[in-house]
Amino acid sequence: MRTETMTVTPEICTDWMKNRTCNRVPLRGYNVEKFRDILRTGLFRMTHQGFALDLHGCLIDGQHRAQAIIDTGISVTAQVTYGLDPDAFSAIDGGRVRTTGDYVAQATGMTQNNANYYGAALKILRNRAAGLHWTRWTTGKITADEIPALMTSWPISEQWIVYMLAKGRQCHASGTGLLISHQIIVEKWPEPVAELFFQNIGDASREYVGKDPRAVYTNTMFNVNKGVVSRDSVQQSAQAIKAFNALVAGEIIGTLKKMKMGGVQVRRNSQTGEKMEQEYLADRYPDVVDRRPVSETWLGITNC
């Protein structure tokens, strides 16, 4: 690794930006615009933070500055570091620019959009495994060091992510919620059973309204745009699990209700008329029913 001070021109930046396939952090417009303003107003100053290229010549830091230089045509004097180990990507701007999706994309080669969904699912699954209440599953941040172990614990192929996102678009369901519920279901059930459940969400299940819980889930998710159902991925994953439980057990469900958060309810004493505050706990996240022979009412499927 070596660092040198040099004049960085638009032509150099153009070459660098052509070779940034290893840097899967998307260009953020507001960051590029910030550097454009700095360059145009003459406020750019050389600091220890400039540009970094890995052993393969791939630009792994400084892409927003590089794009601003290209856009403005203004050259700058800056520090340029060459020969960094590609793994150094995970340690650069870890608390500012890089997201969980960025780290997942870097580790897997997935497109950024799919990696974002995978990263969101991993965070929720990690918090669930840590024993946190479902109301806390979306909190916290995954570090780059955690990613390999988390992906080993919950491997999800990009093909399956694309499929589940398509299913989600059919019925306005959260792609992250569907991925989470699938991973939770396969902890107890074989994947073919789980896949049969998700196949008819948002598609053929519409033909079985009143008979197939997958149709109920689809119709429930349609209400998301009406504000009737929570858009939260955890809530939608819970509703998918409720529908799965009903399907394999041969039960009929008319509706799926979202889980309530804990809080305080004000009640009036019927005798004295006095108002009282009564605390109530948050609902429990549903457990997946234990493995059993699939109900004969599951559209003619008798066993698995």
Side-chain angles (χ1 to χ4, degrees):
M1 183 180 72
R2 63 183 175 86
T3 300
E4 66 178 70
T5 301
M6 60 179 284
T7 300
V8 179
T9 65
E11 292 73 25
I12 292 174
C13 289
T14 299
D15 288 339
W16 285 346
M17 292 296 283
K18 289 178 182 177
N19 186 25
R20 56 179 293 276
T21 55
C22 61
N23 187 339
R24 295 183 176 271
V25 177
L27 277 174
R28 293 175 170 85
Y30 61 87
N31 270 345
V32 176
E33 183 59 33
K34 177 185 71 175
F35 285 113
R36 287 195 201 108
D37 289 341
I38 291 173
L39 290 168
R40 288 167 179 156
T41 55
L43 295 177
F44 185 90
R45 297 291 182 270
M46 186 182 74
T47 69
H48 67 287
Q49 188 173 15
F51 303 86
L53 293 85
D54 68 10
L55 294 168
H56 309 293
C58 179
L59 184 67
I60 61 176
D61 190 31
Q63 61 176 352
H64 292 93
R65 286 182 285 274
Q67 187 61 52
I69 289 171
I70 294 170
D71 293 345
T72 61
I74 298 172
S75 300
V76 301
T77 300
Q79 298 257 38
V80 180
T81 299
Y82 298 91
L84 280 171
D85 189 300
D87 290 341
F89 172 88
S90 63
I92 297 172
D93 289 340
R96 181 175 62 85
V97 175
R98 307 296 190 257
T99 66
T100 300
D102 297 333
Y103 294 134
V104 171
Q106 178 72 10
T108 63
M110 289 185 179
T111 62
Q112 187 67 44
N113 183 62
N114 295 334
N116 290 340
Y117 280 101
Y118 192 5
L122 286 176
K123 180 169 69 172
I124 290 173
L125 291 166
R126 177 202 63 178
N127 289 347
R128 170 179 175 266
L132 299 183
H133 192 274
W134 64 266
T135 57
R136 306 291 296 171
W137 286 0
T138 58
T139 60
K141 183 178 180 180
I142 295 177
T143 65
D145 292 339
E146 292 180 274
I147 295 296
L150 292 176
M151 290 193 301
T152 299
S153 297
W154 297 287
I156 305 177
S157 70
E158 186 165 20
Q159 181 180 5
W160 184 246
I161 293 173
V162 171
Y163 177 77
M164 294 295 261
L165 293 182
K167 282 294 174 183
R169 285 191 291 271
Q170 283 183 302
C171 60
H172 305 293
S174 160
T176 301
L178 292 178
L179 289 171
I180 295 163
S181 56
H182 174 265
Q183 291 297 308
I184 294 175
I185 288 171
V186 296
E187 290 175 1
K188 289 189 177 180
W189 288 83
E191 285 208 25
V193 176
E195 289 174 6
L196 282 172
F197 169 74
F198 287 101
Q199 277 176 9
N200 281 355
I201 284 179
D203 192 7
S205 58
R206 298 180 192 177
E207 303 172 9
Y208 302 98
V209 175
K211 300 177 183 179
D212 188 341
R214 291 170 292 189
V216 178
Y217 182 80
T218 297
N219 293 337
T220 300
M221 291 302 103
F222 280 149
N223 285 326
V224 166
N225 287 341
K226 302 176 184 177
V228 178
V229 183
S230 172
R231 294 177 179 270
D232 180 70
S233 297
V234 177
Q235 288 275 5
Q236 294 192 27
S237 69
Q239 291 165 330
I241 288 173
K242 291 176 186 176
F244 175 83
N245 289 346
L247 187 65
V248 296
E251 299 174 356
I252 298 298
I253 52 176
T255 186
L256 288 169
K257 296 181 180 179
K258 69 178 182 180
M259 298 176 295
K260 292 181 180 178
M261 306 278 283
V264 176
Q265 187 175 36
V266 178
R267 315 195 92 178
R268 187 182 296 274
N269 189 303
S270 59
Q271 295 180 339
T272 65
E274 181 183 0
K275 290 184 178 180
M276 300 179 298
E277 290 187 348
Q278 184 177 26
E279 186 176 0
Y280 59 91
L281 300 176
D283 289 342
R284 185 175 61 83
Y285 190 88
D287 294 322
V288 178
V289 295
D290 292 329
R291 188 170 171 179
R292 64 183 72 178
V294 175
S295 168
E296 294 183 4
T297 62
W298 184 346
L299 307 181
I301 299 173
T302 57
N303 54 56
C304 188

